[in-house]
Amino acid sequence: MMNMISLFQDTRAIRDFTDEPVPRHIIMSILDDAVWAPNHRFREPWRFIYAEGDGKQKLAASIDWKQHPRLVNTIVQAPLCLIVTAKTNKDEHMATEDFAAVCCLIQNIQLLSWAHGLGMTWDLGDFRGWTEFMKLAGIEENERIAGILSIGFFAPIPEKAALIEINDKVEVW
């Protein structure tokens, strides 16, 4: 496995995938490790919807292509789509903690995927108005989508954007 610094530096969003299928056991292994994300009181506020083949195509077809062409194209091209949900809660503080935990989990998925030679794109938005998509995906009333992850093998590795110098981001008091 790569060392951690290289993993952080090399990982990037991928939107162009090869046709090679991703063995399900690899994704299950990634998820098994990714759930070690920090989460308050071990609530494990996540759930996964795994879509490939016809199921993935139906989900993509339920999205308004004119409004979201990049997302639709990425889902269609990727060998698999993983929808990650976060539990909602009337307690806003608890809901925020849970959503943050799910975001940590998604970052783990991206890093672990990269370590396995897989690329991923994490699409996040306000999906509440996507009635058909939400119904097809089986999103429950006490959940929100934290990410639509398109995952697959890729070639070649795309260029990585340069980061802003950390000194420009740190305010010292």
Side-chain angles (χ1 to χ4, degrees):
M1 261 248 214
M2 322 176 169
N3 73 49
M4 291 299 290
I5 300 302
S6 293
L7 190 60
F8 292 153
Q9 292 173 343
D10 294 343
T11 303
R12 65 205 69 190
I14 301 294
R15 289 195 180 273
D16 295 316
F17 303 95
T18 68
D19 293 338
E20 184 179 352
V22 177
R24 190 171 296 167
H25 74 273
I26 292 175
I27 298 301
M28 298 308 289
S29 174
I30 288 168
L31 294 178
D32 196 41
D33 291 332
V35 297
W36 286 98
N39 64 96
H40 192 66
R41 297 190 179 153
F42 300 105
R43 286 194 295 263
E44 298 186 22
W46 41 71
R47 188 169 73 90
F48 309 98
I49 296 101
Y50 186 108
E52 59 187 359
D54 289 340
K56 179 181 64 93
Q57 298 302 332
K58 286 179 186 176
L59 286 172
S62 73
I63 300 169
D64 183 347
W65 186 85
K66 289 180 182 174
Q67 286 193 328
H68 307 283
R70 188 174 181 190
L71 174 60
V72 172
N73 288 335
T74 303
I75 291 172
V76 166
Q77 189 187 18
L80 71 98
C81 176
L82 192 64
I83 301 168
V84 184
T85 67
K87 289 181 183 173
T88 58
N89 195 305
K90 291 179 183 170
D91 179 327
E92 190 174 330
H93 180 75
M94 191 178 284
T96 299
E97 283 181 344
D98 287 348
F99 189 77
V102 176
C103 290
C104 289
L105 166 105
I106 292 171
Q107 179 66 32
N108 285 354
I109 293 170
Q110 186 167 32
L111 293 168
L112 290 162
S113 293
W114 194 268
H116 283 275
L118 297 168
M120 181 191 103
T121 294
W122 174 4
D123 285 289
L124 174 61
D126 184 356
F127 302 107
R128 289 177 292 185
W130 295 21
T131 311
E132 185 181 353
F133 182 89
M134 300 288 271
K135 186 176 179 180
L136 276 171
I139 307 301
E140 299 171 3
E141 284 188 30
N142 67 336
E143 297 178 307
R144 68 177 277 196
I145 295 175
I148 299 174
L149 313 182
S150 301
I151 303 172
F153 293 101
F154 59 92
I157 296 175
E159 291 293 318
K160 185 162 186 161
L163 296 176
I164 296 172
E165 287 292 321
I166 194 65
N167 290 333
D168 295 338
K169 294 287 189 176
V170 176
E171 182 176 329
V172 179
W173 289 26

